[in-house]
Amino acid sequence: MSLLLASVGFGLITASVLAIASVGFTLQFGVTDVLNLAFGAVMIFSAFVAYLMNTNGVPVWIGLLVAMAAGSLLSVLLNSGVYSPFQRRGASG
């Protein structure tokens, strides 16, 4: 019975991570009209920031807030530094 509950819990966690990724990917494409294939790398970067915060003794909720801010900042920097210059030149994706 405990193996079944562990499998269900793992499945729910995995599905929630995939749902967050798909909503973020779709939202970014809908807002910027740019297909950002680096979105997975931004998510991994944010997860790594949260992991580092947690291993250094920072509470989980503060680590999550810092990871969200770091991922958001990285997305903004990617958009303004990489994607916007191509859009200004008229490149289509």
Side-chain angles (χ1 to χ4, degrees), residues 32-69:
T32 63
D33 202 28
V34 173
L35 185 62
N36 181 7
L37 298 177
F39 188 74
V42 172
M43 283 189 62
I44 291 171
F45 171 76
S46 300
F48 189 66
V49 168
Y51 172 74
L52 285 177
M53 298 290 288
N54 194 19
T55 57
N56 288 320
V58 177
V60 173
W61 299 111
I62 295 174
L64 289 175
L65 291 174
V66 171
M68 281 190 328

Side-chain angles (χ1 to χ4, degrees), residues 3 7 9 16-17 25 29 34 37 44 55 61-62 69 75 77 85 88 92-93:
L3 184 61
S7 296
S16 65
V17 169
F25 187 77
F29 179 71
V34 173
L37 298 177
I44 291 171
T55 57
W61 299 111
I62 295 174
S75 289
L77 290 174
R88 282 194 298 267
S92 62

Side-chain angles (χ1 to χ4, degrees), residues 12-38:
L12 288 174
I13 290 171
T14 304
S16 65
V17 169
L18 289 173
I20 290 170
S22 63
V23 167
F25 187 77
T26 305
L27 181 66
Q28 188 169 20
F29 179 71
V31 170
T32 63
D33 202 28
V34 173
L35 185 62
N36 181 7
L37 298 177

